[in-house]
Structures are given as structure tokens and as C-alpha cells.
Amino acid sequence: MTDDSLIPHLEQVGDQPTTIASETSSAIQLSLVIPTYDEAPNIERLIRRLHEVLTAKGVSFELIVVDDDSPDRTWEVVAGLANELNGLRVIRRVGTSGLATAVICGWSLSRGEILGVIDGDGQHPPEAITSLLEAMDEQTEVAVASRHLDGGGTSDWSPVRRLLSRGAQALGLLLLPGTIGRVTDPMSGYFLVRRRIVAGTGLDPVGYKVLLEVLARGEVQQVAERPYVFLERTKGESKVSAAHYVGYLRHLMRLRLYPLRSRALVRYLLVIAVALVADAVTFLWVFDRQGWNLTRSATIAGEVGILLTVALHDLWTFAGRAARNTVDRIRRLVGAQIALGVLLGGRLAVLNILVNWFDLDPLAAFLIALVAITPAGHLLGSRLTWRGVLS
Ligand code: GDD
Ligand code: MN
């Protein structure tokens, strides 16, 4: 290692395996990791503000900056501060890089009971850490700062960046409904998690999305969210590039293959299949046997499918998610009714066009409309119904 290793408070690591210990003998409550790359102009202000807020809160904490050997020597700026501010550590990673792995590296060297991450560029308001800490009551294992709750927002993102972020979220919902659907801001890079959730779970993230990894691989029962406004970056620029979006896709696919998650997806798809069969059987019975008209029969059949979907997701697919109370269940039912109800309307239009304009046999038309529209609706419908399963 170069002579920099003689700088006090500077811990240097290479690209080594990182495991998070299930417990530490330390009395530290919070270990907050700050991943940095070329943040020399921003990092001091953030650290001083965090230090002030957490000291005022009376929390025993450590701030762990994990810097990937920044050309602007961010690690040196922090090492200088560590002389003055207690509870500040700086880790200089040499020979490897990546936001998510930097966070895991910091957590693997941490000592607190609650682990956290916050960006080092000042875009995540340090003050929000207090509301995240307050959200971490005994039952809550993850507390996420969300831009998409009332009171939250994104100050300076371009429409393109907003669209990309929302698109990434919608794609994640299709592939990992049981994970992405749990929070309003799965892309958040600002959150807290209890040590026992991530200890020994072999977190292996790609790119930027640590929260995705925690929610997908950790056995998380209770998640809380608190709103925050993502601030303007005042100095330097975002390191997010097209490669990060490719990394995100790879990350989604990898988690899709993860045994636990595919179990959730298998259940999810089985419920859709069962709902489709129940829908078709109901249609056959009322249209063919009872002789009711086409639209009424298809509406009743569609409604049976919707209610069955919500009931089975509630009781089976997402059974592990504590549906806190009846209001949650009703809210989910209304969400599913809206999402799938709109699709049912589309399906009825397609059905009537096929029968009345193209003279198709009603049963054949029903099956075409059912298979063409309903499955996609179920997958997207989860966006409205399951993101609300929060403490
Ligand atoms: N150690 C390390 N290594 N840190 C990194 C790396 C890296 O390869 N890349 C970025 N960082 C640090 C930056 O220095 C900054 O402190 C933080 O990670 C976020 O990086 P940005 O490049 O500023 O990301 P962003 O502002 O576009 O997006 C952030 O906010 C989004 C919304 O919360 C990120 O946190 C995203 O993950 C998040 O979705
Ligand atoms: Mn940023």
C-alpha cells in the first residue's frame, strides 16, 4: 500500500469478500455508511451536518465513509475530519468499485445494531435520518426514505431521469412484485436496516440498488417508509450511467432466479392461472348454461377472477406480509378492483368488437380477450395493490 496508509484514521481495503457479522459487542446503535466517489467538495458539509443531527438526537453512532480511491482524494478530506469528529471512520477501497458493494463493505466493517446508507453528495437530506430512526420501532426491520410519499419529491431530476427511474420501477414490479411492490421507492439509496436482516445473507448486489438486495434476500417482515425530498446536487455530478441501468436489469434477473423469490413468483403466477380458470368457468356457466347476455356474463366472470385474485394474494402469495389491518385489506381490494376493473372494461370492449363486428363465436372471442389482456393486468395490478403493505 502507498504511504497514504500512514494517514491516521484511514483504513485501506482491497477487493476482499465481505460478510456482515450477526452481532457485535459494541454499544453503537447506528452505523451509517456513506459511499463516495469524487465527493471531496461535498463530503465535509454532509459529515458535519450528520454529526450534528445524530449527536443532538443522542444516538451512539459511527459514520463510515467508503471511498473507492477517488481521484479527488475524498478519503483524505475525511481522514482529516476524523481527527476532530469522533465516531467518523474512512475506508479507502483500492482495486474495486461500485456503490452497492461499497455499502456492503462498510456494513461488513461496522459495529452498530442498525445499519444504514446515505449518499455522500448531499442530495439525501441528513435531517431525514431522525425520522428514519424514529420509524425503526421494535417490529420494524427496514426504514426507507421515499421520494414518492406525500411530502417527498425529487427537486432537480430531468424528465428523462424521472422517466428512467419510474420505468425501472415498473419493470421491477413485473419481475419482482413481492419485492418491488413492498415500497413506494425501491430505488431509494437512503435507508436503515437491522443488522440481523442482512447478517450472513450473502448480499451480492450489482450496481446501485442495495435496497433491492436487502428486500429480496433478507427475511423482512415489517417495512416503514418516510418521505424526503431528493435535493439538488450542488457540486460534482451523478455517476449514474447507462451501464447502471444494464446492471439493474442483471440484478433483477439474478434475483428472479433466487429460490426464495421465485417461490413468490410461482405463487403469483399460479394465482393468476387459477383466477383465469375460475373466470372462464364462470363465463361458461352463466353464458352457456344460464343464457345471460355476453357482456353481463363476461362482467360477472371477470369480477369473480378479480375477487379470487385479491383473496389468494392476501392469504397465500403475500401471506408473510403483515397486512396491518382491515383498512389495508380494503385499500388493496380497491386498488386491485381499479387496476383489474379497468382491464376488465378493455376486455369487454375487445369481446364485443370480436363478436359484433367480426362475427366471432362468443366463446372463442371470450378466450381470446381473456388470454390477451388479463395476465398482464394482474402483473401490473400488483403496483396498486401490494406496494401498500407497509407498517
Ligand atoms: N464508493 C463508491 N463507489 N461510491 C459511489 C460509486 C462507486 O462506484 N458511485 C457512486 N458513488 C456514490 C456517490 O459518490 C454518491 O455519494 C452516491 O454514491 C450516489 O451516487 P450518484 O452518482 O450521485 O447517484 P444519483 O444521485 O444519481 O442517485 C442516487 O439517488 C437515487 C435516489 O435515492 C443513488 O443513491 C441511487 O442509487 C438512488 O436510486
Ligand atoms: Mn447524487
Side-chain angles (χ1 to χ4, degrees), residues 35 37 39 68 98 119-121 123 161 187 208-209 238-239:
Y37 190 73
E39 301 298 350
D68 281 350
D119 285 356
D121 56 7
Q123 289 194 278
R161 182 74 196 265
M187 307 296 145
Y208 261 39
K209 306 303 171 200
S238 163
K239 283 80 188 173

Side-chain angles (χ1 to χ4, degrees), residues 1 12-19 91 93-94 96 101 105 108-109:
M1 292 294 187
Q12 301 210 114
V13 295
D15 182 13
Q16 62 216 37
T18 50
T19 45
I91 294 157
R93 281 202 315 173
V94 181
T96 182
T101 54
C105 170
S108 70
L109 298 168

Side-chain angles (χ1 to χ4, degrees), residues 110-328:
S110 71
R111 295 165 293 175
E113 195 272 326
I114 294 177
L115 309 178
V117 51
I118 183 173
D119 285 356
D121 56 7
Q123 289 194 278
H124 290 162
E127 296 71 16
I129 197 76
T130 47
S131 66
L132 290 179
L133 282 168
E134 283 153 14
M136 287 293 273
D137 58 29
E138 285 69 49
Q139 293 77 28
T140 304
E141 292 130 344
V142 176
V144 182
S146 168
R147 296 161 292 174
H148 305 319
L149 286 179
D150 293 346
T154 305
S155 58
D156 75 331
W157 268 7
S158 67
V160 170
R161 182 74 196 265
R162 285 175 205 268
L163 192 69
L164 283 171
S165 180
R166 283 302 202 166
Q169 192 170 341
L171 183 68
L173 256 181
L174 273 174
L175 284 171
L176 290 174
T179 301
I180 303 270
R182 299 197 66 187
V183 288
T184 58
D185 189 358
M187 307 296 145
S188 178
Y190 191 8
F191 65 91
L192 303 179
V193 56
R194 284 197 186 288
R195 171 180 291 277
R196 61 179 156 78
I197 294 295
V198 290
T201 49
L203 295 182
D204 180 20
V206 176
Y208 261 39
K209 306 303 171 200
V210 196
L211 178 60
L212 203 53
E213 193 71 7
V214 168
L215 291 178
R217 291 189 195 266
E219 284 307 307
V220 179
Q221 298 303 327
Q222 203 74 6
V223 183
E225 287 191 286
R226 292 296 177 268
Y228 85 102
V229 176
F230 189 71
L231 303 172
E232 299 244 347
R233 182 186 253 275
T234 51
K235 297 187 189 89
E237 73 279 329
S238 163
K239 283 80 188 173
V240 168
S241 65
H244 285 103
Y245 288 97
V246 174
Y248 171 67
L249 267 180
R250 271 180 48 222
H251 195 180
L252 283 181
M253 290 319 292
R254 191 149 64 166
L255 288 173
R256 179 62 289 125
L257 302 176
Y258 179 53
L260 274 184
R261 290 288 73 144
S262 60
R263 191 177 66 207
L265 180 68
V266 167
R267 289 186 177 189
Y268 200 84
L269 296 174
L270 276 178
V271 166
I272 293 178
V274 167
L276 289 180
V277 169
D279 193 321
V281 168
T282 308
F283 178 77
L284 279 174
W285 185 64
V286 287
F287 180 71
D288 228 17
R289 297 280 182 281
Q290 305 304 318
W292 292 2
N293 77 33
L294 183 71
T295 302
R296 192 191 317 165
S297 309
T299 306
I300 292 167
E303 200 47 41
V304 164
I306 290 172
L307 297 175
L308 194 61
T309 303
V310 178
L312 289 176
H313 280 335
D314 222 45
L315 302 170
W316 187 51
T317 314
F318 297 101
R321 316 267 185 267
R324 202 178 38 187
N325 52 34
T326 319
V327 171
D328 262 3

Side-chain angles (χ1 to χ4, degrees), residues 7-36:
I7 296 177
H9 304 290
L10 181 65
E11 301 166 54
Q12 301 210 114
V13 295
D15 182 13
Q16 62 216 37
T18 50
T19 45
I20 298 165
S22 50
E23 52 191 48
T24 70
S25 53
S26 159
I28 291 175
Q29 289 164 295
L30 170 67
S31 294
L32 189 63
V33 169
I34 310 170
T36 57

